[in-house]
Amino acid sequence: MSRPAPHTNTPASGRMVQNHPALRLGLGHPGDEPVVRALALEVPVAIEVCGLSYAVMMATPSDLDDYALGFALSEGLIENIEEVLDLTVHELESGGWVVRLNLPPAGAEKAMARARVRVTESSCGLCGMDNIAQVLRPLPRVEQAFAMRREAISAALEALPPLQPLSQETGGAHAAAFCAPDGTILLVREDVGRHNALDKLLGSLARAGRSAREGFILLTARCSYELVEKTVRAGCPVLVTISAPTSLAAERAAAAGLTLVALARPDAALLINDPARMLAATKS
C-alpha cells in the first residue's frame, strides 16, 4: 500500500441503500399506503490484522479503507498510517466484506494480545477488554490548540444536513464531521453505527494529513464514553454532539481536558465541560 493509502469508496457502485417494501400506517388519520422505503445498508465487515481475524463489525460498506485506518488508530494498533504496510478491501461471495491490514511486528503483537472475533452492532470499544481496569485506563490530556467562538457550532450544525446523503435518503445513518474552528465543515463520513462513522472520519483525517488538533468534531449521535475516548486519543480538543452524554462520557471528558458540548441545536447547546473556557467566555 502506498502511504497514505489510495482512497476507495467501497463498494464501487457507491449506493449504500436497499429499497424495501413497507406499509405506511394511518395512525392520526385513516388509511394505509404501500410505500417503498430506502434502508441504509448494514453488513458484516471483518477486520483481519496480519492474517489474524481481529474483529467483525456491523457497518455500512462505504469508505472501508478509512474505517480500517481509523479503527486501527483508535485501537492503538498503530500510531500513524505510515505504519500500515498494506491494506486491501474485498467483498465476499458469502456476503459482507473483509478488510486486511498488514502491520510491522509491533502492531502484530498488539493485535495478538487483543485478538477477538465478535459481531457487534458497532465498534463499541469494549471488545477485547478483559477487565474493568482496561476499560477505565487513563486517557492522555488534550491540548486546546485554537480559539473558538460559539457561533462555530451553529454554523456547523446548519451546514451538516446537506452533507449527509445517506441519512437524507434513509433517515437511518449517523454522521461524523470534522470542522474548522469557524465551523466550516472539512470532512464528513456516514455509517449506520456512530462509532463506525467516527472511525471513518479519523481514518480520512489521517489519510488527508490533517491533524485533529486543528478543529472540532461534530457527531449526530448520543455521546457515549467510547466516542469521547476516540476523540481524545485522536488529539481533538472539542467534541460536539446533538444528543446527551452519559455520566461516564462527561467524567472521561473532564479527566482528559476535552471540551464537550451536547444537545447541540442551532439556537442552544449544553456545555458539559470546558476546561480552557473556550466557549464559556465567549458570547454570540
Side-chain angles (χ1 to χ4, degrees), residues 20-27 29-37:
H20 189 81
L23 184 68
R24 190 189 305 278
L25 300 178
L27 300 179
H29 55 80
D32 297 340
E33 179 187 1
V35 296
V36 175
R37 178 75 183 190

Side-chain angles (χ1 to χ4, degrees), residues 116 257 283:
R116 70 275 169 97
K283 295 183 179 180

Side-chain angles (χ1 to χ4, degrees), residues 22-149:
L23 184 68
R24 190 189 305 278
L25 300 178
L27 300 179
H29 55 80
D32 297 340
E33 179 187 1
V35 296
V36 175
R37 178 75 183 190
L39 305 180
L41 285 183
E42 182 179 35
V43 302
V45 177
I47 297 178
E48 295 183 3
V49 181
C50 301
L52 176 72
S53 182
Y54 186 79
V56 180
M57 302 299 179
M58 301 306 298
T60 301
S62 63
D63 306 300
L64 291 183
D65 41 7
D66 284 342
Y67 176 51
L69 292 173
F71 183 86
L73 288 164
S74 294
E75 289 281 294
L77 300 180
I78 59 174
E79 296 296 327
N80 58 74
I81 64 172
E82 295 297 319
E83 297 176 30
V84 179
L85 304 178
D86 187 54
L87 187 160
T88 58
V89 179
H90 305 277
E91 186 173 12
L92 303 176
E93 291 184 3
S94 57
W97 293 74
V98 60
V99 185
R100 296 187 172 101
L101 286 164
N102 188 20
L103 306 180
E109 290 176 5
K110 292 178 182 177
M112 286 288 292
R114 296 184 57 191
R116 70 275 169 97
V117 180
R118 180 176 179 180
V119 178
T120 64
E121 292 181 356
S122 59
S123 176
C124 63
L126 288 176
C127 304
M129 300 294 187
D130 58 13
N131 61 61
I132 291 176
Q134 280 186 288
V135 175
L136 299 179
R137 63 196 186 282
L139 291 173
R141 296 280 300 182
V142 293
E143 297 180 2
Q144 309 298 329
F146 55 84
M148 178 178 173
R149 297 187 64 83

